[in-house]
Amino acid sequence: PYARYLATRPRPAEQEAIELMIRLCREYRTRVHIVHLSSADALPALRDARAEGLPITVETCPHYLTFCAEEIPDGGTHFKCAPPIRERENRERLWRGLAERVIDFVASDHSPCPAEMKQVESGDFLRAWGGVASLGLTLPAFWTAARARRYSPVHVAELLSRLPAKFCGLDDTKGRIAEGYAADLVVWNPDDRRRWRGYHRMTPYAFAILYGVVEQTYLGGKLIFDHGEVSAEPEGQCGIHRP
């Protein structure tokens, strides 16, 4: 059962790891980034560290803001990730941490694998690959949960685009629609909802009904995705694309 796997990654273990990073940040005054935060118990320590002026940033992921341990079925290994998806009350505290800006932004943490690595037949959580496939899902998954909490599309764009670009030092060319910026754009309908039938079915979002259908995607001003049709040839570039 999922509870057995969850017990192998308790909240105190995540808390101890984060507190260690806070101590190292304080001692060496080096920049620290906490990836895929799953335990809301760490929020007070992170809030205090930020108030202290320590250079710490934090991200979480859509699956920690969408799912909860109580709803994960026995054998549902497609939900397995590390750190794990935790309880419902923990999820709601993560949302509060995001609203209070203790959590800086949301990242996909895309980690796919073949079905056999997920131990679908055996349902063995301890042997299954720990990762959630979320490429192409981050916007609709996050928006579906965020719209129910009265987030606006502008706020979502900030958490998924502007703030990550700033974190990566790309805020002079990425993360906003403005003259001189890379025309990396999505055309989407925030009110349209469809059942997810993506390219990678081994995901907890498989067949979920999600709001926010992406209709077109532009990379550097070039149309690369158009109503389900993807460019025949790769259009990306190694390194950072700048206009």
Side-chain angles (χ1 to χ4, degrees):
Y2 181 72
R4 182 184 178 194
Y5 168 64
L6 183 59
T8 68
R9 304 290 192 279
R11 296 191 203 184
E14 188 171 348
Q15 179 82 17
E16 290 176 12
I18 290 173
E19 289 180 351
L20 172 61
M21 297 310 299
I22 291 173
R23 291 196 300 271
L24 291 172
C25 180
R26 182 181 295 115
E27 180 177 356
Y28 294 102
R29 290 289 163 171
T30 188
R31 184 177 177 184
V32 168
H33 182 63
I34 306 299
V35 299
H36 36 68
L37 178 73
S38 79
S39 174
D41 288 353
L43 289 172
L46 289 166
R47 184 182 293 108
D48 291 345
R50 302 276 285 270
E52 186 182 333
L54 296 181
I56 294 178
T57 49
V58 188
E59 71 180 52
T60 191
C61 307
H63 39 278
Y64 299 129
L65 298 168
T66 299
F67 305 112
C68 60
E70 293 90 338
E71 297 174 356
I72 296 177
D74 289 348
T77 52
H78 46 296
F79 285 90
K80 181 181 176 180
C81 53
I85 295 166
R86 303 191 186 277
E87 296 80 3
R88 183 179 291 106
E89 59 83 20
N90 179 84
R91 179 187 67 190
E92 297 310 310
R93 288 168 61 202
L94 288 177
W95 275 105
R96 289 197 293 273
L98 194 65
E100 295 169 1
R101 298 187 180 274
V102 180
I103 301 172
D104 294 274
F105 55 84
V106 178
S108 68
D109 190 29
H110 176 61
S111 182
C113 71
E116 57 269 21
M117 292 180 65
K118 273 293 188 182
Q119 299 292 320
V120 177
E121 296 297 327
S122 69
D124 188 338
F125 276 99
L126 297 185
R127 293 174 57 205
W129 172 268
V132 170
S134 55
L135 190 65
L137 282 163
T138 298
L139 175 56
F142 180 65
W143 171 240
T144 299
R147 72 190 301 275
R149 293 167 172 82
R150 301 185 182 279
Y151 278 63
S152 71
V154 172
H155 196 184
V156 171
E158 181 175 68
L159 291 169
L160 298 185
S161 183
R162 188 183 71 81
L163 293 175
K166 181 179 179 181
F167 169 77
C168 294
L170 299 174
D171 49 329
D172 59 338
T173 59
K174 303 277 188 177
R176 66 179 64 197
I177 301 174
E179 183 177 354
Y181 279 68
D184 299 337
L185 308 167
V186 294
V187 178
W188 69 302
N189 185 338
D191 297 320
D192 194 2
R193 63 174 185 170
R194 298 179 191 174
R195 190 175 299 277
W196 169 253
R197 295 182 182 275
Y199 301 107
H200 194 86
R201 300 292 176 84
M202 191 47 54
T203 171
Y205 297 105
F207 303 104
I209 296 176
L210 301 174
Y211 281 91
V213 175
V214 175
E215 298 176 348
Q216 294 179 316
T217 303
Y218 290 82
L219 176 64
K222 184 173 183 178
L223 182 65
I224 61 170
F225 174 83
D226 187 15
H227 295 85
E229 296 296 323
V230 182
S231 296
E233 298 296 329
E235 300 290 347
Q237 300 178 13
C238 292
I240 302 301
H241 172 74
R242 295 181 180 272

